[in-house]
Amino acid sequence: MTTPWGKVKPSDVQLVHRYKWSARKSENMYKTLKEQNKTQDVYLPELQNQLLDIIREISERTGS
């Protein structure tokens, strides 16, 4: 295949097609996962704060 930029093999064209398809598929999977885990983003900071409070209390009790 001849293009304005030179000769291109059909396998190169197929590779680009597959690469773009894979990128779209990965983006859709990422968006789906992000939507499914949206509520966890709300609870994780609160959980982290609770764990830090527990660690602080333990360290105060043990004198560490």
Side-chain angles (χ1 to χ4, degrees):
M1 198 194 258
T2 304
T3 69
W5 300 277
K7 291 184 178 181
V8 178
K9 294 185 274 183
S11 61
D12 294 338
V13 174
Q14 182 62 29
L15 176 69
V16 170
H17 175 71
R18 178 73 179 182
Y19 175 78
K20 288 181 178 182
W21 174 86
S22 178
R24 283 192 304 271
K25 189 85 165 163
S26 296
E27 181 182 18
N28 289 337
M29 287 171 49
Y30 171 76
K31 286 179 179 178
T32 302
L33 280 172
K34 187 175 179 181
E35 185 63 32
Q36 289 173 351
N37 297 314
K38 186 193 262 185
T39 57
Q40 290 180 0
D41 292 344
V42 174
Y43 298 114
L44 286 178
E46 179 62 30
L47 178 61
Q48 182 181 12
N49 288 336
Q50 290 175 358
L51 290 172
L52 288 171
D53 290 341
I54 292 169
I55 292 171
R56 188 178 311 111
E57 185 180 332
I58 291 172
S59 66
E60 287 173 358
R61 287 184 184 180
T62 59
S64 300

